[in-house]
Amino acid sequence: MMKHDVELADASIFSHYTQWRPMRPLGGLRKRVFDVVGALILLVLFSPLFLLIAIAVKLDDRGPVLFGHQRVGHNGKSFRCLKFRTMVTESDARLAAYLAENPVALAEWATTRKLRHDIRVTATGKVLRKLSLDELPQLLNVLRGDMSLVGPRPIMGEEMARYGDSGSHYLRSRPGLTGKWQVSGRSDTTYEERVQLDSQYVEHWSFVGDVWIILKTVPVVLFARGAR
């Protein structure tokens, strides 16, 4: 297993993929060049919006503007996935206390890793999430090579077990800022459907398909389809 310059998100990630061998990222150089050029253009275009969002986050709740959480990337490499902070500080402790007192919410969290009514989300955070603006800082992840403009939704190490045999598909690609799941219902889909969409994306990848997903992302974001 290639371990010199690659930090694995979790050694157990590969326990289900004994035949797995590190591979070059899906799409090769053409996809990477498209990612870098696209991310640079979007960062320039959205720079005024970045500033406005940063001010709103800071005014709503004291704490850092950006939030980073470890996610599993290409070949199992762990990376810090960036977002505008949408939750109150000490959100992990608040979530643990809330789930301990609410078995219904605990069951929902165990099934989807999301909550319809998340008490941790700030007023500004609700708006950012609905419009997917909280994910704009992931353009920096794209420039760094952690992510791609289009790909599977970035997941935590503990979620790999839920991917089963489809986990090998996920590991072949850089996670995406947008992807097939985001334009196919988002939170209106089940976790199993999300896994299937990620696998279909990797199995049938094409450059034209990436462009089409990006074009479809625009109305999905503008009309907040499938957002919670």
Side-chain angles (χ1 to χ4, degrees):
M1 194 64 63
M2 185 174 66
K3 186 71 170 74
H4 322 324
D5 56 351
V6 175
E7 177 187 352
L8 296 184
D10 186 337
S12 64
I13 284 177
F14 292 94
S15 62
H16 300 290
Y17 314 111
T18 55
Q19 302 303 314
W20 174 261
R21 292 294 181 273
M23 299 178 65
R24 298 184 66 180
L26 184 73
L29 181 60
R30 181 170 56 160
K31 185 173 173 65
R32 179 64 186 145
V33 170
F34 181 74
D35 285 341
V36 172
V37 173
L40 286 172
I41 292 173
L42 291 174
L43 280 169
V44 172
L45 290 176
F46 290 140
S47 55
L49 182 59
F50 267 69
L51 179 60
L52 291 175
I53 292 175
I55 293 172
V57 171
K58 202 70 176 176
L59 291 176
D60 194 357
D61 182 78
R62 292 184 178 183
V65 170
L66 296 180
F67 170 79
H69 200 284
Q70 293 300 115
R71 292 291 187 270
V72 180
H74 172 246
N75 278 336
K77 181 180 178 181
S78 176
F79 72 96
R80 190 166 177 259
C81 186
L82 299 175
K83 289 187 177 185
F84 282 116
R85 185 171 60 85
T86 60
M87 295 184 179
V88 297
T89 53
E90 300 182 355
S91 59
D92 288 342
R94 184 171 296 195
L95 174 64
Y98 179 70
L99 295 180
E101 298 173 356
N102 296 271
V104 174
L106 178 60
E108 180 184 1
W109 177 260
T111 302
T112 65
R113 307 301 298 180
K114 289 178 177 289
L115 295 174
R116 290 176 180 271
H117 305 291
D118 199 325
I119 61 170
R120 301 169 296 168
V121 181
T122 64
T124 298
K126 290 178 181 178
V127 176
L128 295 180
R129 287 185 168 203
K130 192 170 185 64
L131 297 176
S132 297
L133 296 177
D134 59 315
E135 298 182 355
L136 283 179
Q138 289 169 23
L139 288 168
L140 299 174
N141 285 120
V142 174
L143 284 181
R144 291 180 54 186
D146 300 324
M147 296 178 63
S148 176
L149 290 177
V150 183
R153 186 164 179 79
I155 64 174
M156 295 181 287
E158 63 196 62
E159 295 179 78
M160 283 300 299
R162 303 185 64 175
Y163 270 63
D165 293 338
S166 297
S168 59
H169 290 133
Y170 178 90
L171 296 173
R172 285 177 55 194
S173 176
R174 290 186 176 100
L177 179 61
T178 187
K180 199 165 184 179
W181 173 78
Q182 288 89 332
V183 299
S184 302
R186 298 166 73 184
S187 295
D188 291 335
T189 61
T190 66
Y191 199 100
E192 290 71 22
E193 289 171 333
R194 166 178 156 180
V195 172
Q196 291 175 4
L197 289 169
D198 284 346
S199 294
Q200 290 170 10
Y201 169 78
V202 174
E203 287 180 334
H204 305 291
W205 178 84
S206 70
F207 185 75
V208 173
D210 274 7
V211 174
W212 180 238
I213 287 175
I214 290 174
L215 292 176
K216 290 181 69 175
T217 299
V218 176
V220 168
V221 171
L222 288 178
F223 296 104
R225 295 171 185 166
R228 289 179 187 169

